[in-house]
Amino acid sequence: MLRTDSPAALGEDHAALAAACEPGAALCTIVGIEGSFSRRIGAQLAVLPDGSVVGDLADGCLESQLAADVRNCSKPVVRRYGHGSDLIDFRLPCGGGLDILLDPAPDRGACRAALARLQARRPAELELPDSEQLRRRRYIPALRLRAYGEGPELAALARLARAYGIAIEANDKRELTLGKAPELAPSDRWTAEILLFHDHEWEAALIEHALAGDAFYIGAQGGENARAQRTMALLARGAREEDIARLRSPIGLLPACRTPQALALSVLAEVVGSYERLR
């Protein structure tokens, strides 16, 4: 098995939370949005003691303003930025308004407890002070991939996942036993399982193992004939129709991919989109 966990495998959504665990770091959280903005409610930015930031709120000017403002806060406060703000010299490019909680000294113990839950692959939440709009910031564990396959398709998916910062277990066919389930723990709800085989007789035991877990996405490549044969094989092995219905095939957003790179991009885009809906 090739593991390609990146340093970012905790998840970009958790970066500010992790930084806020350290002494001297402040935490800024979007608790309200008026109009349009490219980040969701709950997006966070940590401001370190040296003024640098961890996280991403899509606007460098906003991040610089927050870093300056939170240094002057003695206690948590919600401030308006953009439309409706008293800061007449500061406007957001989108023309909207943001309510942002500035917390100069977040509860380090609560931050560490939330981070520990995420590292243990469990959902977490952080109670926010002085915010009627968003009382708790909820987190889900980072996306993970578990892939099985052979050749360039598996390698391309592993490379792309690593570049994107997603943890992946890439299980090569040469390390598997035909007809036998892998000796791996069942996947949790925040893991996607992907089968990339041309030789589809390898799939049945692996799909059964995947269906026994909670993976939010289970997909296998293959055309119409492969899908029909796969379904018949699973039914013959006693799989229930409702379980087989969890299996996605064809996989990916593109209707046809002629290169391993295109297939990897197509599949990863579909998986990330499905994961985002879990939020």
Side-chain angles (χ1 to χ4, degrees):
M1 177 178 69
L2 172 64
R3 290 193 64 89
T4 55
D5 293 1
S6 77
L10 179 63
E12 62 180 10
D13 190 47
H14 311 145
L17 173 67
C21 295
E22 301 303 321
L27 187 61
C28 305
T29 306
I30 296 177
V31 297
I33 298 176
E34 179 185 352
S36 62
F37 193 66
S38 58
R39 295 295 183 268
R40 64 171 65 87
I41 290 178
Q44 293 179 309
L45 185 80
V47 180
L48 305 184
D50 64 0
S52 60
V53 300
V54 177
D56 177 15
L57 295 187
D59 186 295
C61 293
L62 172 62
E63 293 171 0
S64 297
Q65 185 72 44
L66 291 173
D69 289 349
V70 76
R71 284 198 298 267
N72 297 321
C73 292
S74 59
K75 61 181 182 179
V77 61
V78 175
R79 290 188 179 172
R80 167 59 69 104
Y81 292 86
H83 180 71
S85 172
D86 294 334
L87 299 171
I88 61 175
D89 294 332
F90 181 83
R91 292 290 182 269
L92 296 173
C94 61
L98 299 177
D99 294 316
I100 300 181
L101 170 64
L102 308 182
D103 190 348
D107 185 334
R108 312 291 174 198
C111 289
R112 294 186 184 110
L115 189 64
R117 287 185 61 87
L118 293 169
Q119 291 171 329
R121 304 292 293 168
R122 292 183 292 170
E125 63 179 38
L126 182 68
E127 187 171 348
L128 300 177
D130 298 326
S131 172
E132 295 296 326
Q133 295 154 289
L134 184 67
R135 295 181 181 274
R136 290 177 176 83
R137 182 15 169 126
R138 293 182 170 85
Y139 308 85
I140 62 172
L143 168 62
R144 281 186 180 174
L145 302 182
R146 175 177 285 172
Y148 304 93
E150 54 188 322
E153 286 86 357
L154 183 64
L157 181 63
R159 285 195 303 270
L160 187 61
R162 182 174 63 247
Y164 193 73
I166 297 174
I168 178 171
E169 297 175 1
N171 300 277
D172 191 279
K173 184 177 78 170
R174 293 169 294 183
E175 301 172 352
L176 302 171
T177 300
L178 181 62
K180 184 178 179 180
E183 296 181 359
L184 298 171
S187 289
D188 60 35
R189 189 183 172 215
W190 302 277
T191 297
E193 297 216 24
I194 302 164
L195 282 72
L196 299 171
F197 288 99
H198 296 288
D199 190 352
H200 298 289
E201 67 178 354
W202 284 82
E203 295 175 339
L206 300 175
I207 292 173
E208 287 177 338
H209 184 267
L211 292 174
D214 295 323
F216 73 91
Y217 179 105
I218 304 172
Q221 75 169 357
E224 184 176 351
N225 289 337
R227 294 194 295 275
Q229 293 172 8
R230 182 185 298 126
T231 298
M232 295 301 296
L234 290 170
L235 289 172
R237 293 170 67 99
R240 300 180 304 172
E241 291 186 5
E242 56 265 37
D243 290 333
I244 297 174
R246 292 176 58 196
L247 181 64
R248 300 194 189 196
S249 187
I251 53 175
L253 295 182
L254 303 178
C257 297
R258 302 303 181 189
T259 67
Q261 293 78 15
L263 177 62
L265 180 60
S266 177
V267 171
L268 193 59
E270 183 175 59
V271 168
V272 170
S274 297
Y275 172 79
E276 284 297 310
R277 288 191 285 274
L278 295 178
R279 298 185 192 274

mmCIF file of all heavy atoms in Angstrom, residues 131-151:
data_model
loop_
_atom_site.group_PDB
_atom_site.id
_atom_site.type_symbol
_atom_site.label_atom_id
_atom_site.label_comp_id
_atom_site.label_asym_id
_atom_site.label_seq_id
_atom_site.Cartn_x
_atom_site.Cartn_y
_atom_site.Cartn_z
ATOM 1 N N SER A 131 -21.291 35.792 20.265
ATOM 2 C CA SER A 131 -21.825 35.763 18.902
ATOM 3 C C SER A 131 -23.217 35.168 18.924
ATOM 4 O O SER A 131 -23.388 33.965 19.145
ATOM 5 C CB SER A 131 -20.928 34.953 17.966
ATOM 6 O OG SER A 131 -21.545 34.791 16.703
ATOM 7 N N GLU A 132 -24.221 35.994 18.712
ATOM 8 C CA GLU A 132 -25.592 35.509 18.648
ATOM 9 C C GLU A 132 -25.879 34.842 17.306
ATOM 10 O O GLU A 132 -26.755 33.990 17.197
ATOM 11 C CB GLU A 132 -26.564 36.672 18.873
ATOM 12 C CG GLU A 132 -26.485 37.296 20.260
ATOM 13 C CD GLU A 132 -26.887 36.324 21.356
ATOM 14 O OE1 GLU A 132 -27.785 35.486 21.100
ATOM 15 O OE2 GLU A 132 -26.305 36.383 22.451
ATOM 16 N N GLN A 133 -25.135 35.240 16.270
ATOM 17 C CA GLN A 133 -25.406 34.714 14.926
ATOM 18 C C GLN A 133 -24.915 33.286 14.749
ATOM 19 O O GLN A 133 -25.546 32.479 14.071
ATOM 20 C CB GLN A 133 -24.745 35.634 13.882
ATOM 21 C CG GLN A 133 -25.344 37.038 13.842
ATOM 22 C CD GLN A 133 -24.350 38.042 13.321
ATOM 23 O OE1 GLN A 133 -23.391 38.380 13.992
ATOM 24 N NE2 GLN A 133 -24.595 38.531 12.122
ATOM 25 N N LEU A 134 -23.766 32.985 15.319
ATOM 26 C CA LEU A 134 -23.195 31.643 15.202
ATOM 27 C C LEU A 134 -22.617 31.271 16.566
ATOM 28 O O LEU A 134 -21.521 31.693 16.916
ATOM 29 C CB LEU A 134 -22.107 31.612 14.122
ATOM 30 C CG LEU A 134 -21.486 30.235 13.825
ATOM 31 C CD1 LEU A 134 -22.532 29.311 13.192
ATOM 32 C CD2 LEU A 134 -20.292 30.385 12.885
ATOM 33 N N ARG A 135 -23.357 30.461 17.293
ATOM 34 C CA ARG A 135 -22.941 30.137 18.660
ATOM 35 C C ARG A 135 -21.866 29.056 18.691
ATOM 36 O O ARG A 135 -21.028 29.038 19.595
ATOM 37 C CB ARG A 135 -24.148 29.694 19.484
ATOM 38 C CG ARG A 135 -25.188 30.800 19.688
ATOM 39 C CD ARG A 135 -26.348 30.294 20.525
ATOM 40 N NE ARG A 135 -27.353 31.321 20.715
ATOM 41 C CZ ARG A 135 -27.319 32.230 21.682
ATOM 42 N NH1 ARG A 135 -26.316 32.227 22.546
ATOM 43 N NH2 ARG A 135 -28.278 33.141 21.798
ATOM 44 N N ARG A 136 -21.891 28.149 17.719
ATOM 45 C CA ARG A 136 -20.920 27.057 17.681
ATOM 46 C C ARG A 136 -20.400 26.876 16.268
ATOM 47 O O ARG A 136 -21.175 26.862 15.317
ATOM 48 C CB ARG A 136 -21.541 25.740 18.174
ATOM 49 C CG ARG A 136 -21.844 25.725 19.659
ATOM 50 C CD ARG A 136 -22.514 24.423 20.063
ATOM 51 N NE ARG A 136 -22.737 24.352 21.506
ATOM 52 C CZ ARG A 136 -23.772 24.907 22.121
ATOM 53 N NH1 ARG A 136 -24.705 25.549 21.401
ATOM 54 N NH2 ARG A 136 -23.901 24.829 23.431
ATOM 55 N N ARG A 137 -19.118 26.739 16.162
ATOM 56 C CA ARG A 137 -18.496 26.441 14.876
ATOM 57 C C ARG A 137 -18.290 24.923 14.817
ATOM 58 O O ARG A 137 -17.608 24.336 15.651
ATOM 59 C CB ARG A 137 -17.164 27.178 14.800
ATOM 60 C CG ARG A 137 -16.285 27.106 13.558
ATOM 61 C CD ARG A 137 -16.835 26.597 12.286
ATOM 62 N NE ARG A 137 -15.894 26.861 11.189
ATOM 63 C CZ ARG A 137 -15.449 25.923 10.370
ATOM 64 N NH1 ARG A 137 -15.859 24.675 10.498
ATOM 65 N NH2 ARG A 137 -14.625 26.248 9.388
ATOM 66 N N ARG A 138 -18.938 24.270 13.856
ATOM 67 C CA ARG A 138 -18.858 22.818 13.737
ATOM 68 C C ARG A 138 -17.868 22.425 12.646
ATOM 69 O O ARG A 138 -17.765 23.093 11.617
ATOM 70 C CB ARG A 138 -20.242 22.235 13.457
ATOM 71 C CG ARG A 138 -21.207 22.393 14.632
ATOM 72 C CD ARG A 138 -22.555 21.771 14.364
ATOM 73 N NE ARG A 138 -23.375 21.720 15.565
ATOM 74 C CZ ARG A 138 -24.138 22.726 15.997
ATOM 75 N NH1 ARG A 138 -24.192 23.858 15.285
ATOM 76 N NH2 ARG A 138 -24.832 22.609 17.109
ATOM 77 N N TYR A 139 -17.165 21.334 12.874
ATOM 78 C CA TYR A 139 -16.146 20.825 11.948
ATOM 79 C C TYR A 139 -16.419 19.354 11.663
ATOM 80 O O TYR A 139 -16.953 18.634 12.520
ATOM 81 C CB TYR A 139 -14.738 20.925 12.554
ATOM 82 C CG TYR A 139 -14.337 22.277 13.086
ATOM 83 C CD1 TYR A 139 -14.687 22.658 14.380
ATOM 84 C CD2 TYR A 139 -13.589 23.158 12.311
ATOM 85 C CE1 TYR A 139 -14.308 23.889 14.892
ATOM 86 C CE2 TYR A 139 -13.194 24.396 12.810
ATOM 87 C CZ TYR A 139 -13.557 24.752 14.099
ATOM 88 O OH TYR A 139 -13.184 25.971 14.610
ATOM 89 N N ILE A 140 -16.032 18.912 10.477
ATOM 90 C CA ILE A 140 -16.027 17.485 10.175
ATOM 91 C C ILE A 140 -14.597 17.078 9.837
ATOM 92 O O ILE A 140 -13.782 17.915 9.416
ATOM 93 C CB ILE A 140 -16.977 17.134 9.018
ATOM 94 C CG1 ILE A 140 -16.559 17.835 7.714
ATOM 95 C CG2 ILE A 140 -18.418 17.453 9.379
ATOM 96 C CD1 ILE A 140 -17.360 17.373 6.508
ATOM 97 N N PRO A 141 -14.249 15.803 10.028
ATOM 98 C CA PRO A 141 -12.894 15.353 9.705
ATOM 99 C C PRO A 141 -12.545 15.594 8.236
ATOM 100 O O PRO A 141 -13.422 15.699 7.376
ATOM 101 C CB PRO A 141 -12.936 13.857 10.033
ATOM 102 C CG PRO A 141 -13.987 13.743 11.091
ATOM 103 C CD PRO A 141 -15.037 14.739 10.690
ATOM 104 N N ALA A 142 -11.263 15.662 7.987
ATOM 105 C CA ALA A 142 -10.777 15.934 6.638
ATOM 106 C C ALA A 142 -11.105 14.784 5.684
ATOM 107 O O ALA A 142 -11.217 13.619 6.083
ATOM 108 C CB ALA A 142 -9.270 16.165 6.662
ATOM 109 N N LEU A 143 -11.254 15.127 4.437
ATOM 110 C CA LEU A 143 -11.475 14.133 3.387
ATOM 111 C C LEU A 143 -10.278 13.189 3.282
ATOM 112 O O LEU A 143 -9.120 13.616 3.320
ATOM 113 C CB LEU A 143 -11.683 14.855 2.045
ATOM 114 C CG LEU A 143 -11.648 14.009 0.784
ATOM 115 C CD1 LEU A 143 -12.765 12.970 0.781
ATOM 116 C CD2 LEU A 143 -11.741 14.906 -0.443
ATOM 117 N N ARG A 144 -10.581 11.909 3.154
ATOM 118 C CA ARG A 144 -9.567 10.901 2.858
ATOM 119 C C ARG A 144 -10.021 10.063 1.677
ATOM 120 O O ARG A 144 -11.217 9.889 1.443
ATOM 121 C CB ARG A 144 -9.322 9.984 4.063
ATOM 122 C CG ARG A 144 -8.445 10.573 5.143
ATOM 123 C CD ARG A 144 -8.153 9.544 6.221
ATOM 124 N NE ARG A 144 -7.301 10.089 7.264
ATOM 125 C CZ ARG A 144 -6.986 9.447 8.385
ATOM 126 N NH1 ARG A 144 -7.463 8.231 8.593
ATOM 127 N NH2 ARG A 144 -6.207 10.012 9.287
ATOM 128 N N LEU A 145 -9.048 9.515 0.967
ATOM 129 C CA LEU A 145 -9.322 8.606 -0.146
ATOM 130 C C LEU A 145 -8.717 7.243 0.160
ATOM 131 O O LEU A 145 -7.616 7.148 0.705
ATOM 132 C CB LEU A 145 -8.719 9.137 -1.442
ATOM 133 C CG LEU A 145 -9.146 10.514 -1.938
ATOM 134 C CD1 LEU A 145 -8.452 10.819 -3.259
ATOM 135 C CD2 LEU A 145 -10.643 10.602 -2.093
ATOM 136 N N ARG A 146 -9.430 6.215 -0.227
ATOM 137 C CA ARG A 146 -8.887 4.858 -0.245
ATOM 138 C C ARG A 146 -9.118 4.337 -1.655
ATOM 139 O O ARG A 146 -10.277 4.210 -2.092
ATOM 140 C CB ARG A 146 -9.569 3.973 0.789
ATOM 141 C CG ARG A 146 -9.123 2.508 0.733
ATOM 142 C CD ARG A 146 -9.786 1.696 1.825
ATOM 143 N NE ARG A 146 -9.187 1.973 3.137
ATOM 144 C CZ ARG A 146 -9.686 1.518 4.294
ATOM 145 N NH1 ARG A 146 -10.807 0.801 4.281
ATOM 146 N NH2 ARG A 146 -9.084 1.783 5.423
ATOM 147 N N ALA A 147 -8.038 4.072 -2.353
ATOM 148 C CA ALA A 147 -8.146 3.680 -3.761
ATOM 149 C C ALA A 147 -7.511 2.319 -3.982
ATOM 150 O O ALA A 147 -6.522 1.959 -3.342
ATOM 151 C CB ALA A 147 -7.486 4.721 -4.650
ATOM 152 N N TYR A 148 -8.099 1.566 -4.908
ATOM 153 C CA TYR A 148 -7.570 0.275 -5.331
ATOM 154 C C TYR A 148 -7.446 0.308 -6.843
ATOM 155 O O TYR A 148 -8.278 0.892 -7.535
ATOM 156 C CB TYR A 148 -8.515 -0.865 -4.945
ATOM 157 C CG TYR A 148 -8.862 -0.958 -3.483
ATOM 158 C CD1 TYR A 148 -10.004 -0.328 -2.987
ATOM 159 C CD2 TYR A 148 -8.073 -1.692 -2.601
ATOM 160 C CE1 TYR A 148 -10.345 -0.429 -1.646
ATOM 161 C CE2 TYR A 148 -8.414 -1.789 -1.254
ATOM 162 C CZ TYR A 148 -9.544 -1.157 -0.785
ATOM 163 O OH TYR A 148 -9.874 -1.251 0.538
ATOM 164 N N GLY A 149 -6.416 -0.347 -7.364
ATOM 165 C CA GLY A 149 -6.311 -0.384 -8.814
ATOM 166 C C GLY A 149 -4.967 -0.867 -9.283
ATOM 167 O O GLY A 149 -4.248 -1.578 -8.576
ATOM 168 N N GLU A 150 -4.643 -0.409 -10.473
ATOM 169 C CA GLU A 150 -3.428 -0.869 -11.120
ATOM 170 C C GLU A 150 -2.964 0.179 -12.118
ATOM 171 O O GLU A 150 -3.754 0.965 -12.632
ATOM 172 C CB GLU A 150 -3.700 -2.184 -11.853
ATOM 173 C CG GLU A 150 -4.871 -2.084 -12.832
ATOM 174 C CD GLU A 150 -5.285 -3.417 -13.419
ATOM 175 O OE1 GLU A 150 -4.378 -4.230 -13.695
ATOM 176 O OE2 GLU A 150 -6.486 -3.651 -13.590
ATOM 177 N N GLY A 151 -1.675 0.212 -12.341
ATOM 178 C CA GLY A 151 -1.117 1.002 -13.423
ATOM 179 C C GLY A 151 -1.232 2.499 -13.273
ATOM 180 O O GLY A 151 -1.342 3.047 -12.174
#
